[in-house]
Amino acid sequence: MKYIVAGIGGQGILFATKVLGHIALGKGLPVIGSEVHGMSQRGGSVISHFKIGDYQSPLIASGDADIFLAFDQSEALRNYHFLREGGQAVINVEHPAELAHPRLQDYFRQRRITLHALDGLGLIREHLGGKFLFLNVLILGALCGAGVGNFSRDEMRQAVGELAPARFREENLKGFDLGYGALAK
Amino acid sequence: MSKRMVLLGNEAIARGIVEAGCEVAVAYPGTPSSEILPAVAKYADELGTRTAVEWGVNEKVAFEVAAAASFAGKRSCAIMKQVGVNVAADALMSVAYFDLAGGFVLVAADDPGPHSSQTEQDSRSFAQFAKIPCFDPSSAVEAKHMVFDAFDLSEQYHIPVMLRPAGRVNHCREDVELGAVRPGDHPAKFVKDVRRWVCLPAHVRLTHPQLNAKNDAIRQDFESRFGAYNYELAAKKPAKLGIVAGGVSFAIVQDLLASWGREDVAVLKIGTPVPLPEKMVMDFISRHDNVLILEETYPVIENQLPDRTKVKGRHNGFVPRAGELLPEVIEELVLRALGEPGVPGASPELKAALEELQIKPKPPMLCPGCPHRASFFAIRKAVPSGIYPSDIGCYTLGVNQRMVDSVICMGASVTQPSGFYLAHRVDGKEQPLVSTIGDSTFFHMGIPGLVNAVYNRHAFVLAILDNSITAMTGGQPNPNVGTKLRKGDVGARVDIEGAVRGCGVGHVEVVEAYDMASGEKAVKAAWEYAKAHQSPAVVIFRHPCMLLRCEQEKIRVRVDEERCVGCKFCINFFNCPALVFDEGKNKAVVDDRFCVQCGTCIPVCPHGAIVRVSEEA
């Protein structure tokens, strides 16, 4: 399974892939991935590649990802090309009108891409006192809520609890549950 | 008792360093190498080794400290990014000739892309230049194994050995096996021998041939003894293409061939590119009519081939000579080498949507609340007609505020104003000059330039942006901070102001960076002093980096829509991620996702539109 996670520096993308790695390793699955550190972390576009299974390289080619998580709508647009035909995307959306763009809709249709969109920032403003740092766990919750990927809600929730620093544990779990609830059917 | 963990490539390398029994590890931070040394300290603490772990003030210092520990018989290593090797090069070129005692490994992390560097240079070329052997890992797991072999090889031939991970290895995350510290005793014992340790020309006439002989012997070893790193993945069917690959490119090729299920492509993996196991590569080439070479970033393997007639590589322009060899680039190269149709490119619909929606990559910016932003703004107000040289660090992003006019490399913010000063002085002109440099960079290489400017009487203002950390690379301590990495290890703080005065600078003023009015006044006064005394003057802007999350007053702000005229002055000259422009309304707005309530933007607006939100509101 190949994941691409995209967003802006400072949104906690590295923590999201850390959670995925933690669960996979616990199940004895080999993992490999690639992160961005350094200058790009300063508020610029950040992208993380993550693969579970028997792979040698940490990178995913354009058109080859199974799952795409995007913390930011513009970064989502710039990185949809990573998705394979029939791939699934979990997207934090701020401007829903943009998603309705006819060419974009054509693209989703032609490549049979399933989009799971949620207003993560709105949820955080309403329920988590505007602490946007928890967007990463919210997206992980949404991933489980949408039934995408190979990990169950319980596995993911437990991993978030284990990896979060003790003083932020409760809020991380709350963020996760918010995301789960937003997309669970 | 082995255990597996998902580690960053840099943590895997660090683990290898500690398990290999390295007892002196010195580094200067730089992406993509920065996480190695803190991980060395962490594992040394966990495993209870005696390893000395230190940040050197620059890469030359780090290299020399580690090298001398090897003279004294210890296993040691120096860790840096590729451009750091340029700084350490003087020492590297000499030490290569030495007949070392303890194993000595240089970890040089390359940055194809580049993602966070000023060059795309290939450290393997440096290994070749210095005539030292080089290991080029394709994965985190392999990098860790190579650390052991690098130390062993160094001890066997008494030669420095380079481990050259490219950034994708440094920053890959992979499950890695953790082991125990390998047994081995390397007591500190320096055996005096001037022919061995003093690089007099007379000695070099003996040691240079010795170095050549070592290279010949190591090349033989690489031909035969290092099958774990140099091996062929034979094609099951008659091969239509033979690929010679090293580093991350090898891993990408493997995944690509596996996903295609192709059995008609043979691959020769080269993990020891310098000195090249030439017979092995030429034998592979002789057995294939069609050969592609994939390596990053320079043609190091390719350059060492005695005959390149059959080779598709960089010499005949087949492989791009710049940029990262990403999976899609390699996919295209392999198909083209096979003479087969390429994969369809990006979807035209998606491309059109991106263009119509005007989606562009988000460039890096200084963090919200960053003190540098306020410092730059104050400098512009004080000396609006200045030339503003700068340096390597977060503050290079002052380019977004149009406050960075030229950057070369670390320390060059102190020397460039000297050049600008002289260029204008010979024409009889006076040119205001204000340079910016960070605290860590000042200690790294700023001091010689400052002494030079005092001695030669160059008039300019040097603004030292002191945020009490090496921020860009993730927050490492430096002499200005005084802390060290290992538990219980205590450092001493070196005072910047004292160091500046010690260089002979007669005018030094320290200001709180958030206080832009004082900053402006201080820069004006410093420039007046510089002109009057024909001498550099220094202003130290001080405020801790936001990433240190120090407690500070929270000042909520908003943009008053009545007063905002949509001039974008705040966007263009203050450039905070939390101040964005709403094109629809033609007004600036505060983005609550990013605002950290530092309040520094309030005095920025010429129309007074950025206002404090009163507590009762």
Side-chain angles (χ1 to χ4, degrees):
Chain A
M1 194 66 86
K2 299 172 197 169
Y3 292 80
I4 289 282
V5 188
I8 298 168
Q11 284 187 319
I13 287 166
L14 299 188
F15 182 76
T17 47
K18 217 171 165 179
V19 171
L20 297 174
H22 184 76
I23 309 171
L25 193 73
K27 296 180 140 198
L29 300 168
V31 301
I32 189 163
S34 176
E35 301 176 350
V36 172
H37 293 248
M39 185 176 262
S40 319
Q41 279 182 300
R42 301 282 163 265
S45 304
V46 171
I47 181 163
S48 204
H49 301 236
F50 187 76
K51 295 152 102 173
I52 302 172
D54 190 16
Y55 299 107
Q56 310 301 318
S57 116
L59 295 176
I60 297 168
S62 184
D64 210 23
D66 301 293
I67 297 173
F68 175 40
L69 307 180
F71 291 35
D72 175 274
Q73 199 170 348
S74 292
E75 294 307 310
L77 273 161
R78 295 200 323 110
N79 293 298
Y80 282 124
H81 69 89
F82 275 105
L83 273 174
R84 67 168 166 82
E85 201 168 329
Q88 307 212 54
V90 179
I91 310 294
N92 172 45
V93 167
E94 289 171 79
H95 313 288
E98 219 173 72
L99 275 184
H101 191 275
R103 309 297 290 270
L104 195 59
Q105 286 297 324
D106 285 347
Y107 164 74
F108 293 141
R109 236 187 332 269
Q110 279 168 16
R111 311 235 20 188
R112 296 184 299 109
I113 284 163
T114 316
L115 212 62
H116 307 274
L118 75 161
D119 174 16
L121 301 179
L123 286 169
I124 290 174
R125 268 194 200 103
E126 195 174 334
H127 301 286
L128 263 172
K131 291 177 183 166
F132 300 114
L133 271 176
F134 299 108
L135 182 66
N136 54 5
V137 287
L138 183 133
I139 297 280
L140 288 177
L143 174 75
C144 293
V148 179
N150 27 11
F151 301 132
S152 73
R153 174 195 193 175
D154 291 347
E155 287 172 327
M156 194 85 88
R157 197 173 189 281
Q158 194 188 335
V160 167
E162 280 170 16
L163 292 177
R167 63 197 172 110
F168 297 122
R169 190 168 176 271
E170 284 312 309
E171 281 173 304
N172 269 296
L173 291 176
K174 196 173 169 193
F176 178 85
D177 293 338
L178 263 180
Y180 183 88
L183 290 189
K185 278 150 196 112
Chain B
M1 194 202 70
S2 77
K3 194 182 152 197
R4 298 184 75 82
M5 267 184 90
V6 178
L7 297 187
L8 201 60
N10 278 340
E11 293 171 321
I13 292 168
R15 184 75 193 195
I17 288 168
V18 177
E19 286 179 21
C22 173
E23 289 192 285
V24 176
V26 195
Y28 186 81
T31 313
S33 73
S34 311
E35 300 83 8
I36 300 175
L37 196 74
V40 170
K42 180 179 75 175
Y43 295 129
D45 283 342
E46 281 174 19
L47 294 169
T49 70
R50 297 177 303 186
T51 318
V53 181
E54 294 190 348
W55 291 120
V57 295
N58 66 35
E59 293 87 353
K60 181 175 185 286
V61 167
F63 185 95
E64 291 160 357
V65 170
S70 152
F71 302 171
K74 288 294 180 194
R75 281 197 160 189
S76 66
C77 72
I79 304 158
M80 57 199 65
K81 70 181 292 179
Q82 91 285 37
V83 291
V85 181
N86 302 340
V87 178
D90 201 2
L92 166 63
M93 299 306 289
S94 288
V95 170
Y97 287 70
F98 282 34
D99 210 38
L100 297 175
F104 177 43
V105 173
L106 166 63
V107 181
D110 283 0
D111 184 15
H115 295 267
S116 205
S117 301
Q118 64 268 42
T119 74
E120 232 179 353
Q121 67 191 69
D122 190 326
S123 296
R124 298 175 307 158
S125 297
F126 239 125
Q128 215 185 352
F129 187 34
K131 300 190 179 181
I132 63 166
C134 173
F135 289 89
D136 182 16
S138 298
S139 70
V141 171
E142 191 179 50
K144 180 170 180 253
H145 287 301
M146 283 178 169
V147 171
F148 303 131
D149 285 311
F151 275 110
D152 289 345
L153 191 75
S154 172
E155 254 158 36
Q156 185 188 345
Y157 289 100
H158 309 280
I159 190 171
V161 175
M162 180 188 286
L163 176 73
R164 188 295 295 243
R168 296 294 183 178
V169 170
N170 296 102
H171 290 152
C172 80
R173 206 167 265 287
E174 195 179 344
D175 48 319
V176 176
E177 196 167 308
L178 307 185
V181 179
R182 300 196 164 186
D185 197 22
H186 308 274
K189 188 165 185 285
F190 178 63
V191 182
K192 291 193 182 189
D193 179 350
V194 289
R195 277 193 301 189
R196 195 171 171 189
W197 308 120
V198 182
C199 61
L200 284 170
H203 300 160
V204 173
R205 277 170 222 135
L206 301 171
T207 52
H208 191 184
Q210 209 175 62
L211 175 60
N212 291 335
K214 287 178 187 177
N215 270 260
D216 293 342
I218 292 168
R219 191 190 302 277
Q220 283 308 313
D221 267 3
F222 284 171
E223 296 274 8
S224 55
R225 207 161 59 77
F226 285 85
Y229 308 136
N230 303 321
Y231 53 87
E232 186 172 335
L233 302 173
K236 291 192 181 121
K237 293 181 183 157
K240 285 187 189 154
L241 175 68
I243 300 176
V244 180
V248 184
S249 301
F250 169 72
I252 292 172
V253 162
Q254 264 185 302
D255 278 356
L256 194 62
L257 296 177
S259 74
W260 284 342
R262 272 201 101 115
E263 297 181 331
D264 57 355
V265 177
V267 184
L268 177 67
K269 141 116 171 144
I270 294 296
T272 64
V274 180
L276 185 71
E278 181 192 305
K279 282 199 197 98
M280 183 185 280
V281 182
M282 288 314 290
D283 170 67
F284 179 82
I285 292 174
S286 74
R287 290 184 281 110
H288 297 88
D289 295 329
N290 188 13
V291 176
L292 174 66
I293 298 197
L294 297 172
E295 55 183 326
E296 282 179 320
T297 50
Y298 289 1
V300 172
I301 295 175
E302 201 179 332
N303 282 344
Q304 293 177 80
L305 298 176
D307 177 3
R308 292 189 285 264
T309 325
K310 276 202 250 173
V311 167
K312 293 182 165 77
R314 291 200 166 90
H315 277 273
N316 52 17
F318 193 90
V319 176
R321 287 188 295 175
E324 192 176 5
L325 295 180
L326 291 166
E328 44 273 27
V329 176
I330 289 184
E331 194 171 16
E332 191 274 328
L333 287 171
V334 173
L335 288 172
R336 186 147 54 87
L338 282 161
E340 293 175 15
V343 279
S347 138
E349 285 74 27
L350 184 58
K351 257 178 132 170
L354 279 169
E355 270 167 33
E356 286 168 29
L357 292 167
Q358 297 190 324
I359 301 296
K360 292 185 188 82
K362 204 166 179 295
M365 289 164 96
L366 292 172
C367 300
C370 176
H372 299 340
R373 178 179 292 107
S375 306
F376 279 126
F377 194 82
I379 293 168
R380 165 178 288 278
K381 278 196 97 173
V383 186
S385 57
I387 296 174
Y388 311 113
S390 189
D391 222 298
I392 306 281
C394 285
Y395 40 86
T396 316
L397 297 174
V399 75
N400 296 333
Q401 285 168 268
R402 307 174 194 193
M403 282 304 291
V404 171
D405 292 327
S406 62
V407 175
I408 306 174
C409 61
M410 291 191 66
S413 61
V414 191
T415 46
Q416 292 172 89
S418 290
F420 284 120
Y421 167 82
L422 290 176
H424 290 87
R425 195 189 71 184
V426 294
D427 279 5
K429 287 180 189 156
E430 187 180 274
Q431 169 62 50
L433 297 158
V434 186
S435 253
T436 44
I437 190 169
D439 47 339
S440 185
T441 308
F442 175 71
F443 282 114
H444 177 285
M445 200 60 92
I447 291 173
L450 194 54
V451 173
N452 178 66
V454 170
Y455 160 49
N456 286 303
R457 306 198 63 180
H458 300 152
F460 62 85
V461 178
L462 178 67
I464 301 178
L465 309 182
D466 172 10
N467 60 355
S468 305
I469 200 81
T470 313
M472 175 61 88
T473 47
Q476 295 77 15
N478 62 52
N480 179 42
V481 182
T483 56
K484 295 184 75 176
L485 286 169
R486 285 214 61 180
K487 270 188 196 141
D489 201 0
V490 183
R493 209 180 148 262
V494 182
D495 173 47
I496 293 187
E497 198 182 335
V500 168
R501 289 195 192 280
C503 290
V505 176
H507 180 101
V508 189
E509 189 175 344
V510 183
V511 293
E512 156 58 49
Y514 272 14
D515 180 356
M516 292 194 284
S518 298
E520 182 186 341
K521 224 172 95 194
V523 173
K524 272 187 181 153
W527 174 237
E528 290 306 318
Y529 177 92
K531 277 191 295 186
H533 294 78
Q534 288 298 291
S535 165
V538 171
V539 179
I540 301 172
F541 286 88
R542 193 164 280 161
H543 191 94
C545 172
M546 290 311 283
L547 299 176
L548 295 172
R549 303 191 195 287
C550 299
E551 284 291 318
Q552 63 183 43
E553 189 192 357
K554 296 240 179 203
I555 300 169
R556 276 182 65 202
V557 296
R558 65 179 176 86
V559 175
D560 183 338
E561 286 193 10
E562 298 287 302
R563 289 193 215 165
C564 176
V565 299
C567 68
K568 291 193 182 176
F569 180 81
C570 59
I571 307 285
N572 291 334
F573 296 105
F574 204 62
N575 195 251
C576 176
L579 267 177
V580 291
F581 198 74
D582 184 330
E583 296 285 351
K585 284 189 192 163
N586 196 38
K587 306 274 174 202
V589 281
V590 175
D591 187 339
D592 67 344
R593 291 178 303 163
F594 300 113
C595 183
V596 295
Q597 304 177 7
C598 69
T600 51
C601 57
I602 293 172
V604 168
C605 179
H607 308 282
I610 303 175
V611 293
R612 183 169 189 167
V613 177
S614 58
E615 296 308 318
E616 57 272 24

